[in-house]
Amino acid sequence: MKNVLVIGSTGQIGSELTMKIRREVAGSTVVAGYIPGAEPKGELLTSGPAEVVDVCNGKQIAEIVDKYQIDTIYNLAALLSATAERFPLKAWDIQMNGLINILEVAREKHCAVFTPSSIGSFGPSTPRDNTPQDTVQRPTSMYGVTKVATELLSDYYYHKFGVDTRSVRFPGLISYTTLPGGGTTDYAVEIYYAAVKGEEFVCPIAKGTYMDMMYMPDALKAAIDIMNADPSKLVHRNSFNIASMSFDPEIIAAAIRKHYPDFKMRYEFDPVRQAIADSWPNRMDDSCAREEWGWTPSYDLDSMTEDMIVNLKKKLL
Ligand code: SER
């Protein structure tokens, strides 16, 4: 990984991943790819090159890959699950037509490609607890349909054409830098903003709904480590279960109350998000990632909560 293109560099993952690779991978050039209307700002803009890269424009992707002699593409352009239910054709276009554009460029120009999958790639017929690495994947949301297809297409390009595709199934990602938007797991970010601002939190997800979640530093580490892993050790490629914590709204609220004893939450559940959440696993088994490339998370709910609150206080107060 030397010359890297991050497509979707101003989104929740991209804004932090671009900066982390720029800081930590010596001698790297990381191009921040963005679409008009989502321009990079601040340090993301000033610390390296930025280019308009629309996943739906294969020619544009090829030009930027040539211009910077890109060897690794992080494909982070996607509509999250609740938004994808509102705009299913647009989600298909970005997630599937976008992916095949990238894979075709990668095939011709010999790039490695990371395209995240998700807990959303599972569905109601998947085992809920200790969800195995290899199991039933029959999702019922458009987001999930595109994620399973992403996994399959990425593996196809590896087996058929030798394109070095690798990825992980991200849990809901929690961070204080860039807000997610339109996801089912977004509540677990928004709850911290409410607590730090001293507001009551109206939770769109029902009590007792467990989902895998992860703090952003662990997710970024996974995205980099999987691309640096020794390929001879990889039995799987697209995509690895990774896990670090699982909770329901009551449990995260209790973790927050250790810092804000008066924190209040009430429920007003969103039927679209709830139906999606009910179809996702409670907790994935990530033993293949641990065995094949040494995955280990650093944060649990309490250490994440402490760090989120410290950083959101700096940001919001
Ligand atoms: N965080 C995503 C969502 O909620 C799932 O990967 O849509």
Side-chain angles (χ1 to χ4, degrees), residues 12 79-82 117-120 143 147 170-173 180 182-186 211 276 280:
Q12 192 203 10
L79 295 190
L80 292 184
S81 54
S117 186
S118 158
I119 50 174
Y143 180 74
K147 287 298 168 190
F170 280 133
L173 299 182
T184 300
T185 57
D186 295 7
M211 286 183 275
I276 294 173
W280 288 356

Side-chain angles (χ1 to χ4, degrees), residues 4-308:
V4 179
L5 169 60
V6 179
I7 297 179
S9 68
T10 58
Q12 192 203 10
I13 305 173
S15 57
E16 294 194 52
L17 184 66
T18 305
M19 292 310 303
K20 186 175 166 77
I21 305 174
R22 280 182 181 164
R23 273 191 219 110
E24 292 179 11
V25 182
S28 65
T29 298
V30 186
V31 180
Y34 65 95
I35 49 168
E39 285 79 7
K41 296 190 185 79
E43 215 190 348
L44 188 59
L45 180 64
T46 55
S47 60
E51 298 277 357
V52 172
V53 184
D54 183 343
V55 276
C56 297
N57 184 341
K59 191 165 159 279
Q60 196 174 56
I61 301 167
E63 281 166 9
I64 300 302
V65 165
D66 282 341
K67 181 172 171 185
Y68 294 93
Q69 296 180 320
I70 297 296
D71 55 69
T72 305
I73 301 173
Y74 280 92
N75 168 23
L76 306 178
L79 295 190
L80 292 184
S81 54
T83 307
E85 286 310 288
R86 287 175 57 213
F87 306 108
L89 297 187
K90 190 172 175 196
W92 180 267
D93 199 28
I94 293 172
Q95 266 112 273
M96 298 320 306
N97 295 333
L99 175 63
I100 207 149
N101 287 336
I102 291 168
L103 290 172
E104 273 299 292
V105 171
R107 179 175 70 79
E108 280 171 19
K109 300 178 189 296
H110 309 290
C111 304
V113 180
F114 175 92
T115 308
S117 186
S118 158
I119 50 174
S121 69
F122 298 112
S125 50
T126 302
R128 288 273 151 88
D129 295 304
N130 289 319
T131 304
Q133 171 66 38
D134 301 310
T135 185
V136 180
Q137 287 181 280
R138 305 281 297 172
T140 45
S141 68
M142 179 49 111
Y143 180 74
V145 168
T146 64
K147 287 298 168 190
V148 177
T150 292
E151 294 187 7
L152 294 172
L153 196 58
S154 298
D155 269 348
Y156 179 81
Y157 267 71
Y158 169 65
H159 290 296
K160 180 90 175 174
F161 304 119
V163 178
D164 187 0
T165 56
R166 311 174 185 194
S167 89
V168 296
R169 294 180 183 133
F170 280 133
L173 299 182
I174 296 164
S175 62
Y176 57 84
T177 303
T178 307
L179 280 166
T184 300
T185 57
D186 295 7
Y187 92 88
V189 179
E190 290 156 1
I191 194 171
Y192 287 108
Y193 278 72
V196 170
K197 287 196 257 174
E199 294 168 1
E200 181 188 41
F201 181 61
V202 182
C203 188
I205 298 293
K207 196 177 190 167
T209 309
Y210 282 78
M211 286 183 275
D212 276 298
M213 301 281 180
M214 182 173 288
Y215 199 31
M216 189 60 87
D218 281 330
L220 300 179
K221 183 159 73 86
I224 294 174
D225 286 355
I226 181 70
M227 296 314 280
N228 286 334
D230 175 354
S232 71
K233 304 257 162 56
L234 299 181
V235 179
H236 298 85
R237 279 181 167 261
N238 301 283
S239 301
F240 283 92
N241 285 0
I242 55 169
S244 62
M245 63 186 92
S246 167
F247 52 75
D248 85 325
E250 290 294 307
I251 293 175
I252 186 173
I256 289 172
R257 280 193 196 105
K258 290 182 191 165
H259 302 263
Y260 294 98
D262 298 330
F263 175 63
K264 288 193 176 47
M265 176 170 79
R266 69 183 163 83
Y267 291 94
E268 214 172 89
F269 85 91
D270 166 0
V272 173
R273 284 184 165 84
Q274 188 61 43
I276 294 173
D278 284 340
S279 74
W280 288 356
N282 296 338
R283 184 171 183 110
M284 294 185 285
D285 172 358
D286 61 0
S287 49
C288 289
R290 289 174 186 265
E291 280 157 27
E292 292 175 40
W293 50 278
W295 157 249
T296 46
S298 303
Y299 285 88
D300 62 13
L301 177 58
D302 283 333
S303 52
M304 173 179 80
T305 298
E306 209 173 307
D307 203 57
M308 277 295 282

